[in-house]
Amino acid sequence: MSTTAIKIVIADDHEIFRDGLKLMLQRQTDIIVAGEAADGKELIELVKHTLPDVIITDVKMPQLDGVAAAKYLTEHYPSIGIIALTMFDEEDLIVDMLEAGAKGYLLKNADKTEIIEAVHTVASNEPHYCRLTSQKLASMVAKSKFNLHLKKEKPEFNERE
């Protein structure tokens, strides 16, 4: 890990949750909270101005959800690590967030040590998933429902089509 601080942006539609997460992260000497957003649209605008190293975002938010925001941000700012921090552990949402480019997936009941560890891991361009998410991913891979490295091929059309 480098000696420079990790710049973070938080996105969650619940202000009290953002405040608590921000307070916890600001206690870390190597993490700077550069801003916070209440939805995906605010998140995208905030990222344009702050260019963080890591984004911690909820999945379900008004205006623009975390999946759509992650897709946009991954496409336009591929070097920024995205961590989903959510109450939802449904397989479809996990897959949607990972396909959108998230490098981490944590449940909101994660303890602060795991959240901080995830920030450092994702800032180092490595994936980090909570234990439950890892188990679900392993199960999906075993059932061949999900392959993170499978690239969706664009359909090819001939001239007549």
Side-chain angles (χ1 to χ4, degrees):
M1 188 181 77
S2 72
T3 56
T4 59
I6 300 168
K7 191 180 346 175
I8 297 218
V9 167
I10 300 167
D12 194 288
D13 54 327
H14 295 98
E15 182 179 12
I16 195 153
F17 183 80
R18 285 194 319 266
D19 287 349
L21 183 59
K22 182 167 91 173
L23 185 63
M24 185 265 297
L25 291 170
Q26 286 176 329
R27 290 182 178 149
Q28 306 305 306
T29 57
D30 61 346
I31 294 175
I32 296 170
V33 179
E36 54 187 279
D39 61 53
K41 283 186 177 185
E42 282 184 25
L43 173 61
I44 289 169
E45 286 305 309
L46 185 60
V47 167
K48 288 177 184 178
H49 301 309
T50 61
L51 296 174
D53 301 304
V54 175
I55 297 166
I56 299 176
T57 184
D58 195 0
V59 175
K60 294 190 178 183
M61 296 182 290
Q63 299 280 338
L64 190 67
D65 68 14
V67 175
K71 281 181 188 173
Y72 177 89
L73 292 166
T74 298
E75 184 177 321
H76 292 88
Y77 305 94
S79 65
I80 297 174
I82 300 172
I83 300 171
L85 181 60
T86 183
M87 295 184 305
F88 304 99
D89 66 348
E90 289 94 7
E91 289 180 1
D92 291 347
L93 287 177
I94 295 169
V95 170
D96 288 347
M97 278 304 289
L98 297 182
E99 286 181 343
K103 290 189 176 99
Y105 200 98
L106 300 171
L107 297 179
K108 284 187 176 176
N109 64 0
D111 63 36
K112 66 182 180 179
T113 305
E114 181 168 25
I115 294 170
I116 293 163
E117 180 183 325
V119 167
H120 287 109
T121 303
V122 170
S124 299
N125 203 28
E126 296 293 326
H128 184 98
Y129 312 116
C130 68
R131 187 175 43 80
L132 181 63
T133 302
S134 294
Q135 290 170 351
K136 287 187 181 249
L137 286 171
S139 174
M140 284 186 276
V141 169
K143 294 179 201 170
S144 298
K145 286 176 88 175
F146 175 66
N147 182 345
L148 185 58
H149 302 290
L150 182 67
K151 298 289 183 200
K152 293 181 182 174
E153 292 187 25
K154 293 181 181 177
E156 292 186 27
F157 297 100
N158 63 34
E159 285 184 31
R160 196 173 64 131
E161 292 172 319

